[in-house]
Amino acid sequence: MAKYRQLADKIITLIKKAKAEFYSSKVKSKRKHDAAKWHRTISQLAGFEGDNLNNNLISDSTPDTAEILQNIFTKPWSKLPETIIPSLEDVASSLRQENPPTPSIGQVKTALKQLNSKKATGSDGIPAWVLKRYCEELAPIVHDIICASIKECEYPTAYKHALVIPVPKVNPPRDIENDFRQISILPQMAKVLEKLQLKLNLPSSRINDNQHAFTSKRSTVSALTNISQNWFNVTDNTHSAKNGVHALFIDFRKAFDLVDHGILLRKLAEMNVTKAFWLWARSFLEDRRQQVKLAGTLSSVKPCPAGVPQGSVMSPALFNIHINDIENSIPDGLSINICKYADDCTQDEVVSQGSSSHMQEALEAVQEWSNRNKITINSKKTKDMWICFNTAIPAPEPL
């Protein structure tokens, strides 16, 4: 582990150095000769030009634009297949019958202190800086609210209202239907509640080691190291064996937004969580609603019948549970390695000289898993790649 940590730190240092050199090369020649162009380049690199969501896309009628974005964000839910929310009786045998653990006032106070005072204020109108600055005085009150929510297995209705901010995926955005991601601005009190609930109940969850997002001591660096080191080892021509790697990069369409609540709740029960936490999580998912906030203007309010809100503390953990069993869909006879980072799934297979790739069979298995879990593979963004430095091994047929 010490060696891994040393190599990971080295990779992080090299990435920072490469970024610094890239930014420097972009602006160095312009600073003395063209001050205006230098300033524009700095703004582009920092992403400042995207703050106004591209004036070409935003009309003079902001209320209309907010409503258009609301319709775009909620459109995928209009054709959802019917979902069946399991009752407590349906999953009771998988749940632990224990009293729900509650946090101490000290834990609540610590959570309030750790709030980022620069974060946006949610629909309850309570800014993070107030909770943070007056944590000593507010901790007992917040503690009572959180304990009541946990013991009654009810997520507060007021915390289910999300203000959605459209964030550009590309800079500048050009297509209002495809170039914006919805980020939910939720009450800061909700984040404190969810953070403490996860801390008290997360040990009950069992996330597979190949998930590198939203998990302790894992990151994009650990994911890249895991993948690239394996590829390097098997394609190293100094080895006696001659191997290639067939890699598949799977992209799911709107994965967070289309999580089926019924399927997710059944999977959560299979994690052997407590009865109280399962009921609380069901309440967290039920009757959520959102409205788009754009330039101080609000759209109409619409329900959220599926998905987990991007911006919530609970959502990443719930999504990891939802996608945790994807590797179980791969037939046992196939030697497919899977590495996940949130909804990005990379599969690879070592193909030795004289053998053939089974990646098509693995892809079909994942497609069947997707159908069962009501998730759609994005065929335009899903790609495969052949990695080999030996011409004696022919490349497999494209998938």
Side-chain angles (χ1 to χ4, degrees):
M1 179 57 75
K3 182 67 174 176
Y4 167 78
R5 189 70 261 167
Q6 182 182 359
L7 292 173
D9 291 341
K10 186 176 181 180
I11 291 173
I12 292 172
T13 302
L14 290 173
I15 291 173
K16 288 181 179 179
K17 183 179 178 182
K19 285 183 177 179
E21 290 176 351
F22 170 77
Y23 292 143
S24 178
S25 66
K26 283 286 186 181
V27 301
K28 186 176 181 181
S29 61
K30 300 181 179 68
R31 185 164 189 173
K32 293 182 180 180
H33 305 292
D34 192 339
K37 196 169 184 179
W38 175 84
H39 185 271
R40 285 198 302 273
T41 302
I42 291 292
S43 297
Q44 289 172 357
L45 291 173
F48 295 149
E49 291 191 351
D51 289 348
N52 60 2
L53 301 183
N54 193 354
N55 290 331
N56 294 329
L57 291 181
I58 303 301
S59 65
D60 294 334
S61 181
T62 303
D64 289 345
T65 308
E67 195 63 35
I68 290 170
L69 286 166
Q70 172 75 311
N71 291 333
I72 290 170
F73 292 152
T74 57
K75 184 179 179 180
W77 297 331
S78 62
K79 298 180 180 180
L80 284 178
E82 183 180 0
T83 185
I84 300 175
I85 303 297
S87 66
L88 179 59
E89 291 74 19
D90 294 333
V91 298
S93 60
S94 301
L95 303 174
R96 301 204 315 273
Q97 304 297 320
E98 301 175 4
N99 292 327
T102 55
S104 65
I105 292 182
Q107 287 176 307
V108 172
K109 191 183 300 181
T110 299
L112 292 173
K113 286 181 179 179
Q114 291 174 346
L115 285 174
N116 186 341
S117 56
K118 296 181 180 179
K119 290 293 183 179
T121 302
S123 57
D124 63 348
I126 304 175
W129 68 265
V130 170
L131 297 171
K132 185 182 181 79
R133 182 177 297 179
Y134 301 104
C135 62
E136 295 285 345
E137 295 82 359
L138 293 175
I141 301 171
V142 176
H143 176 262
D144 289 344
I145 294 172
I146 290 174
C147 288
S149 172
I150 294 173
K151 291 176 181 178
E152 296 174 15
C153 305
E154 288 287 339
Y155 190 85
T157 302
Y159 298 169
K160 297 181 183 182
H161 187 120
L163 298 177
V164 172
I165 305 297
V167 176
K169 296 179 183 178
V170 295
N171 207 357
R174 292 182 173 83
D175 183 354
I176 194 169
E177 290 208 16
N178 299 306
D179 287 352
F180 291 97
R181 176 183 291 107
Q182 55 176 331
I183 300 297
S184 299
I185 305 300
L186 298 163
Q188 296 298 321
M189 282 278 289
K191 294 183 179 181
V192 173
L193 169 59
E194 293 168 28
K195 182 178 180 179
L196 290 169
Q197 269 288 62
L198 284 178
K199 187 174 182 179
L200 294 168
N201 293 276
L202 191 59
S204 303
S205 301
R206 299 186 298 275
I207 302 300
N208 294 333
D209 290 339
N210 60 6
Q211 176 61 269
H212 293 262
F214 319 122
T215 52
S216 177
K217 298 180 181 179
R218 291 178 181 269
S219 63
T220 51
V221 173
S222 64
L224 289 170
T225 303
N226 177 278
I227 295 172
S228 58
Q229 186 61 50
N230 180 51
W231 293 354
F232 174 81
N233 291 340
V234 300
T235 58
D236 187 358
N237 285 328
T238 61
H239 291 179
S240 57
K242 296 178 180 179
N243 299 313
V245 174
H246 195 187
L248 174 64
F249 306 94
I250 300 175
D251 182 85
F252 295 104
R253 186 177 67 87
K254 294 187 177 296
F256 275 77
D257 298 333
L258 297 177
V259 170
D260 182 273
H261 291 170
I263 295 173
L264 172 59
L265 286 168
R266 291 185 183 278
K267 291 184 178 183
L268 179 62
E270 291 170 2
M271 288 285 178
N272 194 224
V273 297
T274 65
K275 169 187 168 183
F277 182 70
W278 186 87
L279 288 170
W280 185 89
R282 186 178 70 174
S283 176
F284 168 84
L285 294 170
E286 288 176 340
D287 302 322
R288 300 197 72 94
R289 56 197 184 277
Q290 69 173 43
Q291 61 183 152
V292 171
K293 183 178 182 180
L294 182 65
T297 303
L298 296 174
S299 71
S300 62
V301 179
K302 291 194 175 183
C304 308
V308 287
Q310 297 186 57
S312 163
V313 175
M314 276 287 293
S315 294
L318 291 177
F319 184 82
N320 277 355
I321 291 171
H322 188 59
I323 204 171
N324 193 51
D325 63 342
I326 188 172
E327 50 264 36
N328 297 343
S329 65
I330 305 297
D332 293 336
L334 302 185
S335 299
I336 304 292
N337 179 54
I338 296 182
C339 182
K340 293 175 288 190
Y341 190 87
D343 59 332
D344 293 322
C345 180
T346 301
Q347 298 183 172
D348 63 68
E349 176 190 27
V350 178
V351 181
S352 58
Q353 188 174 10
S355 62
S356 57
S357 171
H358 299 89
M359 192 58 75
Q360 181 65 47
E361 188 178 347
L363 176 58
E364 290 171 359
V366 172
Q367 179 65 65
E368 291 179 6
W369 176 91
S370 301
N371 294 338
R372 290 194 305 271
N373 288 274
K374 303 179 183 179
I375 297 178
T376 304
I377 293 179
N378 189 334
S379 57
K380 291 184 178 180
K381 294 183 179 180
T382 296
K383 307 291 182 181
D384 69 319
M385 180 172 65
W386 173 245
I387 307 166
C388 186
F389 301 103
N390 193 314
T391 56
I393 309 178
E397 291 293 325
L399 302 180

